[in-house]
C-alpha cells in the first residue's frame, strides 16, 4: 500500500506541472523570425504566463537559426489555407509581419494588407481574444517619403489597420517610432496618440516587444491605436505601461 501511494504521488509531481503548462494561453506569433518578431519570441519564451507558437514560412530554416525548443508551425499570411492549422487552440495573436519588398509576392499590398486581412479572418474563426499588430507611428500617410522607396508601405500599413478593425477581432495597434537594436529597459516607454508623434523619436525593439506582450491581456489596451517611443526617464516595467486614456481607432 505504501509503495502504491508513493507511485501515485510521484506520478502527480510529474503530470500536474505539465497540465498547468498546457492551461496557459497560447500565443501565435506571426513573423517570428523577423527583426521585431525574433525579439518578441525571446521575451515570450521567458514569460511564465504564456505558451508561444511561432509561425514561419520555412520551419527547417527557423529551427536551424533559432533552435527546436520553440513550437514552430508552417504558415504564410498570403496563403489563407495555411493559417487554419496554425491557429488551432490559439488565444492571442501577435503580428510582427512586415513586407520585405523582395519580389511582388512580398510587397506591402500582399503582406501587410492582404496578409493582415487573412490572419484576422483566421483569428476570428477561432475566437481569438486579442490581436496585437505592429505597424508604424505614421501608418496611412499618403505623402510619407517611405512610400516611394517601399512600394507604398505606409499607405498599406494604414489599410492593414483598417482591415483588422473591420474584421471584428479585438485588437491593439502598436505604432513604434524609429527602431533600434539597443538594449531595452534602459529608458522610459512612452505611449501617446498618433497625433502627438514627433519625427525623430526612437524606441528599442526590446521595449516595443514589452509593450506588445503587455497589450495582450491588459483591458485598457483593447481596441486602441497609438505611437510608442522611448522617453528620457528610467526604464518602464511591463506592469507600469500606461494604456489607459489612449484613443480608440
Amino acid at each position: 500500500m505504501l509503495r502504491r501511494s508513493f507511485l501515485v504521488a510521484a506520478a502527480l509531481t510529474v503530470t500536474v506541472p505539465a497540465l498547468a503548462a498546457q492551461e496557459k494561453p497560447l500565443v501565435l506569433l506571426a513573423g517570428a523570425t523577423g527583426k521585431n518578431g525574433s525579439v518578441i519570441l525571446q521575451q515570450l519564451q521567458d514569460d511564465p504566463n504564456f505558451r508561444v507558437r511561432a509561425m514561419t514560412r520555412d520551419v527547417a530554416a527557423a529551427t536551424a537559426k533559432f533552435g527546436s525548443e520553440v513550437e514552430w508551425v508552417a504558415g504564410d499570411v498570403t496563403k489563407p489555407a495555411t493559417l487554419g492549422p496554425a491557429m488551432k487552440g490559439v488565444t492571442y495573436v501577435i503580428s510582427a509581419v512586415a513586407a520585405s519588398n523582395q519580389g511582388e509576392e512580398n510587397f506591402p499590398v500582399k503582406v501587410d494588407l492582404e496578409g493582415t486581412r487573412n490572419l484576422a479572418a483566421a483569428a476570428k474563426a477561432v475566437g481569438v481574444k486579442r490581436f496585437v499588430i505592429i505597424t508604424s507611428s505614421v501608418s496611412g500617410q499618403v505623402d510619407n517619403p517611405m512610400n516611394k522607396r517601399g512600394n507604398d508601405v505606409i499607405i498599406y500599413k494604414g489599410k492593414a489597420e483598417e482591415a483588422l478593425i473591420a474584421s471584428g477581432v479585438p485588437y491593439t495597434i502598436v505604432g513604434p517610432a524609429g527602431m533600434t537594436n539597443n538594449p531595452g529597459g534602459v529608458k522610459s516607454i512612452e505611449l501617446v496618440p498618433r497625433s502627438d508623434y514627433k519625427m525623430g523619436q526612437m524606441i528599442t525593439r526590446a521595449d516595443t516587444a514589452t509593450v506588445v506582450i503587455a497589450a495582450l491581456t491588459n483591458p485598457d489596451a483593447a481596441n486602441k491605436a497609438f505611437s510608442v517611443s522611448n522617453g528620457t526617464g528610467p526604464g518602464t516595467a511591463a506592469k507600469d505601461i500606461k494604456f489607459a486614456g489612449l484613443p480608440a481607432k
Side-chain angles (χ1 to χ4, degrees):
M1 185 67 180
L2 180 61
R3 175 176 172 78
R4 181 181 178 184
S5 298
F6 172 78
L7 291 174
V8 170
L12 286 173
T13 60
V14 173
T15 58
V16 170
L19 288 172
Q22 289 300 315
E23 291 172 356
K24 294 177 182 179
L26 178 61
V27 180
L28 177 67
L29 174 59
T33 61
K35 292 180 180 179
N36 296 324
S38 59
V39 178
I40 296 170
L41 178 60
Q42 183 176 3
Q43 289 193 23
L44 280 172
Q45 287 181 278
D46 294 336
D47 194 313
N49 298 306
F50 303 106
R51 292 179 292 139
V52 57
R53 177 181 294 158
M55 192 172 81
T56 178
R57 291 176 177 178
D58 189 336
V59 170
T63 301
K65 185 173 182 179
F66 297 99
S68 58
E69 293 181 359
V70 180
E71 181 191 345
W72 292 103
V73 64
D76 184 338
V77 295
T78 68
K79 299 176 180 178
T82 69
L83 301 178
M87 202 69 70
K88 185 177 180 181
V90 168
T91 303
Y92 301 107
V93 170
I94 295 173
S95 177
V97 171
S100 68
N101 286 308
Q102 302 299 312
E104 290 188 11
E105 70 278 6
N106 294 314
F107 279 8
V109 64
K110 300 291 287 186
V111 176
D112 289 276
L113 176 54
E114 294 179 18
T116 297
R117 187 180 288 130
N118 295 337
L119 194 60
K124 185 175 182 179
V126 299
V128 161
K129 292 184 178 180
R130 185 75 55 83
F131 187 124
V132 181
I133 186 172
I134 298 176
T135 56
S136 170
S137 286
V138 293
S139 291
Q141 291 185 359
V142 176
D143 58 351
N144 192 286
M146 285 190 285
N147 288 321
K148 290 184 178 180
R149 57 179 182 268
N151 293 300
D152 291 332
V153 60
I154 299 302
I155 293 173
Y156 284 115
K157 284 187 181 297
K159 291 181 180 294
E161 294 175 7
E162 294 170 0
L164 174 57
I165 294 168
S167 74
V169 179
Y171 65 88
T172 303
I173 298 169
V174 180
M179 306 284 276
T180 77
N181 294 318
N182 295 337
V186 177
K187 295 182 178 180
S188 59
I189 298 174
E190 308 290 342
L191 277 57
V192 298
R194 289 265 183 82
S195 57
D196 292 345
Y197 168 72
K198 295 180 176 61
M199 292 297 292
Q201 291 178 320
M202 305 295 288
I203 185 159
T204 68
R205 297 185 195 280
D207 284 332
T208 302
T210 298
V211 172
V212 166
I213 295 170
L216 290 173
T217 58
N218 192 310
D220 290 332
N223 301 331
K224 299 287 182 69
F226 51 84
S227 173
V228 57
S229 60
N230 282 129
T232 57
T236 304
K239 64 181 179 61
D240 296 324
I241 295 172
K242 307 297 185 184
F243 294 102
L246 292 167
K249 180 176 180 180

